[in-house]
Amino acid sequence: MPSATSTPAEGGPRVLAHPSRDAIRLEDVLHALADPVRLGIVRVLADAEGECSCSVFDAPVSKSTLTHHFRVLREHGVITQTYRGTAKMNALRRDDLAELFPGLLDTVLAAARRQAAAGLSAGAAAAGATSPS
């Protein structure tokens, strides 16, 4: 993988590395979605309108561990992350995932919601948002 963050020589904004659509692999997406905390993050992003800053996620892990989970999701092609000032904004790569793996994201999200409703998912509250703004 390329460097996770780069700063242009002219002092411009930091840019986070993301895989191109063609570089996203099914096994990487499934790995990223297999963790309950990451699946919780994806559920929050799926329900949000637009982007969410990292600060809206209330997960039962340390800040550094949450940062790791966001990095896994980004590096595996599930989310995009961009800086807006000092905030890191997150959004699902819904269009890319739908193009590459039709129905996968919706199927996984529907199954996660069913499990959470039945109280079967340890990740049901693993990444609940305090507010999706």
Side-chain angles (χ1 to χ4, degrees), residues 13-59:
R14 293 177 288 180
V15 177
L16 296 161
H18 297 81
S20 68
R21 178 186 284 188
D22 294 337
I24 298 171
R25 300 185 48 90
L26 177 61
E27 59 270 24
D28 291 338
V29 172
L30 293 174
H31 168 76
L33 296 174
D35 183 274
V37 172
R38 291 193 292 265
L39 184 56
I41 291 168
V42 170
R43 287 183 59 205
V44 170
L45 290 172
D47 292 340
E49 293 182 21
E51 301 175 319
C52 292
S53 72
C54 291
S55 65
V56 305
F57 295 89
D58 181 26

Side-chain angles (χ1 to χ4, degrees), residues 43-105:
R43 287 183 59 205
V44 170
L45 290 172
D47 292 340
E49 293 182 21
E51 301 175 319
C52 292
S53 72
C54 291
S55 65
V56 305
F57 295 89
D58 181 26
V61 296
S62 68
K63 185 176 178 181
S64 63
T65 301
L66 189 58
T67 298
H68 164 76
H69 286 300
F70 278 109
R71 182 176 51 84
V72 170
L73 289 167
R74 176 176 44 82
E75 289 179 352
H76 288 68
V78 178
I79 67 170
T80 59
Q81 290 187 301
T82 54
Y83 282 99
R84 300 275 190 275
T86 59
K88 196 183 290 182
M89 303 303 292
N90 305 279
L92 278 180
R93 292 182 70 172
R94 189 179 287 278
D95 292 342
D96 289 338
L97 294 173
E99 177 72 25
L100 292 167
F101 316 113
L104 176 68
L105 185 60

